[in-house]
Amino acid sequence: MSAIYKQVLPYLAIFRNNATMLGAVFAGAFAFNMGYDTVMNKVWDHHNRGRQWKDIRHKYVESEDDE
């Protein structure tokens, strides 16, 4: 196998058929979206630590065991 063929083979396998290409694009976009959302949520939570409801809830809500 030549080096050119090894570089072109993934292209031919994925983009030869329009439906396969569309599926690959959608799968890539979905994976990117999930990864991006996860990373941005972690950045947001780190930047706003101590100011979010999940961090200060214990100060304002009584537990159900105290009743």
Side-chain angles (χ1 to χ4, degrees), residues 8 10-11 13 21 24-25 30-31 36-38 42 45 52 66-67:
V8 174
Y11 172 79
M21 181 189 69
V25 168
F30 182 76
Y36 186 80
D37 282 346
T38 302
K42 288 181 189 258
D45 288 341
Q52 297 181 33
D66 293 342
E67 292 178 359

Side-chain angles (χ1 to χ4, degrees), residues 25-45:
V25 168
F26 282 154
F30 182 76
F32 178 78
N33 183 27
M34 296 300 288
Y36 186 80
D37 282 346
T38 302
V39 169
M40 287 298 111
N41 282 336
K42 288 181 189 258
V43 168
W44 179 266
D45 288 341

